[in-house]
Amino acid sequence: MPPSRQSVIPRFKAQLALLALPWVLALPGCQGSKPLRPIPDHPPVVPIALDDPDPPDRVIRDLLSRHNAIRSERDLPPLSFSPTLSQAARDQVAGMIELGKVRHRGVDGSTPADRVKQVGYPYQSVGENVAAGQETAEEVMTGWMDSSGHRRNILGEFEELGAAREEDPNGRPYWCVVFATPIPQRNPDEAADALLKQINTLRLNEQLPPLAPNPKLQRIARAYSQAMAKAGSLKPPGPSIADRVREAGVSYRRLAQSVASGNPGPKEVLDAMTESAQQRRNLLGPFDRVGIGYANAEDGRPFWTILLVEGNGGSL
C-alpha cells in the first residue's frame, strides 16, 4: 500500500485589530481615581513534555535518526522527539489498523490537526506521513523520500517529531509520523521587552524617538491580553482599553491600541502590523510611552496588546 502524507499549516490564522482615539481630552490624574479592575489569570498551558528526549523504542529511534540524517545532509536543523506527538501518532495507527487502510482521517473523523490538539500540544504547524506494509524504518523512509509530498514534510520547517509503528493481527506494519512546531510559551515580561525592541528599531530607522515603557501602561496591556486569552477573542467582554486607562487614572492627549493573536513571536507581530497602513501609522505615530501585554489562551494561542500614549505628564 503506498504511503500517504498530509500537511496542516498553520493552526491559527493571525489576526489584527486596532483602536485609535486621536486627541482625546486629558483625563484626571490618578489621585482619587478607581484602581484598575483586575482580570483573573487564565489557566496555564500545560508544557510539552521534554523529560524523555529519546524514543524508547528501537525502531522509532532508528526512524528519528534517519529523518535527522536526511535533514543534516541538507543543512537543516534536527527534529526533536516528542512523546506527546507520538501519542497522536499511536492514535492514528490504531485507527488505521481498525479500518485496515492507510488514511489521514481518523476513525472518529479527526484530522491530523485535531489529534494533535486532542493530546494537548499547542502548535503553530502540523504535518503527517503515514504508510503500511514496510517492515523497517529504512524501507518506509525510502518510500517517503521517493514521494514529493512526504519529502516536503520530512524536510519541512518543523521542530519536533512523534512516531508510531504497530502491526495488525496479520503482522502487517502500519506507520505514522507526526511533525509539528510548538507555539512558544513566553515569559510575558521578556515577550514585551522583545517586541518593544523591535518597535523602537523600526522607529529609529524612520528617525523617530524611541517609545519609553511605562509600568502602569504595561499592567493595563497585560490585563487586556489576559482578558483576550481567556475569551479566545480580540474583543473580550468587560471594560474596553479606554475604560481601563480611564480607571487607572492615566492622563493623555492621544491614545492608540493595536492587538493581535496567532502571531507566535515579536518579529511575526511586527511584520504583520507593518503590513497594515493604520497599524504602521500607530507604531510610527507621535507617541512617547507604551505598554505591551502578552498572554496565552488555554489552547496555546498568543494574544498581544500594544497600548500607545502621547502623554501630558502628571499621572504617567
Side-chain angles (χ1 to χ4, degrees):
M1 185 176 294
S4 181
R5 73 100 195 175
Q6 185 174 80
S7 287
V8 182
I9 56 170
R11 176 181 182 186
F12 297 122
K13 180 181 179 181
Q15 294 178 293
L16 299 173
L18 60 92
L19 167 71
L21 303 176
W23 301 109
V24 179
L25 293 176
L27 298 177
C30 61
Q31 293 183 350
S33 62
K34 296 180 181 179
L36 180 65
R37 189 179 307 175
I39 298 296
D41 289 338
H42 62 279
V45 175
V46 178
I48 299 169
L50 296 176
D51 56 344
D52 186 13
D54 297 316
D57 181 89
R58 178 184 59 80
V59 174
I60 302 305
R61 285 198 301 272
D62 186 21
L63 192 62
L64 174 64
S65 176
R66 291 178 183 278
H67 275 81
N68 284 335
I70 290 169
R71 291 173 65 89
S72 177
E73 291 172 356
R74 292 157 176 80
D75 295 323
L76 296 172
L79 298 166
S80 299
F81 175 72
S82 168
T84 306
L85 292 177
S86 293
Q87 181 59 58
R90 285 193 293 272
D91 291 345
Q92 181 57 11
V93 164
M96 291 191 295
I97 289 175
E98 179 179 339
L99 295 171
K101 62 177 66 174
V102 174
R103 52 184 268 169
H104 291 289
R105 190 159 296 278
V107 292
D108 58 354
S110 62
T111 66
D114 292 333
R115 291 187 290 275
V116 170
K117 181 179 179 180
Q118 288 164 4
V119 297
Y121 184 105
Y123 66 85
Q124 296 181 52
S125 57
V126 169
E128 182 181 85
N129 286 349
V130 293
Q134 297 85 356
E135 293 291 335
T136 66
E138 180 180 9
E139 289 179 25
V140 77
M141 288 299 294
T142 297
W144 282 336
M145 286 300 292
D146 285 341
S147 161
S148 60
H150 297 86
R151 187 166 59 249
R152 277 196 300 272
N153 277 350
I154 294 169
L155 303 178
E157 295 182 6
F158 299 110
E159 295 181 5
E160 299 189 342
L161 170 153
R165 177 194 183 277
E166 298 291 343
E167 296 180 0
D168 69 9
N170 297 319
R172 183 176 179 78
Y174 284 78
W175 301 78
C176 180
V177 171
V178 179
F179 306 88
T181 297
I183 294 176
Q185 307 300 294
R186 301 178 185 276
N187 176 283
D189 290 329
E190 293 175 358
D193 290 345
L195 182 52
L196 177 57
K197 184 177 180 180
Q198 297 262 353
I199 294 171
N200 279 337
T201 297
L202 174 67
R203 290 176 65 88
L204 179 63
N205 292 338
E206 298 292 332
Q207 299 183 332
L208 294 171
L211 298 170
N214 178 268
K216 185 174 288 189
L217 296 176
Q218 293 282 90
R219 289 194 294 272
I220 297 171
R222 182 176 299 181
Y224 197 76
S225 285
Q226 290 173 347
M228 291 192 296
K230 183 177 181 180
S233 169
L234 295 178
K235 297 181 179 180
S240 68
I241 198 75
D243 291 337
R244 294 169 188 268
V245 171
R246 187 176 298 111
E247 290 178 4
V250 174
S251 297
Y252 62 88
R253 286 186 297 172
R254 182 178 297 190
L255 167 69
Q257 172 207 16
S258 293
V259 295
S261 70
N263 311 89
K267 181 181 183 302
E268 291 82 5
V269 173
L270 189 64
D271 288 347
M273 288 187 173
T274 52
E275 290 178 359
S276 162
Q278 180 60 62
Q279 300 274 8
R280 185 179 179 86
R281 281 195 294 271
N282 277 356
L283 297 174
L284 300 178
F287 303 105
D288 48 32
R289 294 169 177 82
V290 65
I292 297 176
Y294 169 88
N296 288 97
E298 289 186 61
D299 59 8
R301 186 179 359 167
F303 285 83
W304 302 81
T305 300
I306 302 174
L307 179 56
L308 301 155
V309 166
E310 182 185 3
N312 58 356
S315 64
L316 283 177

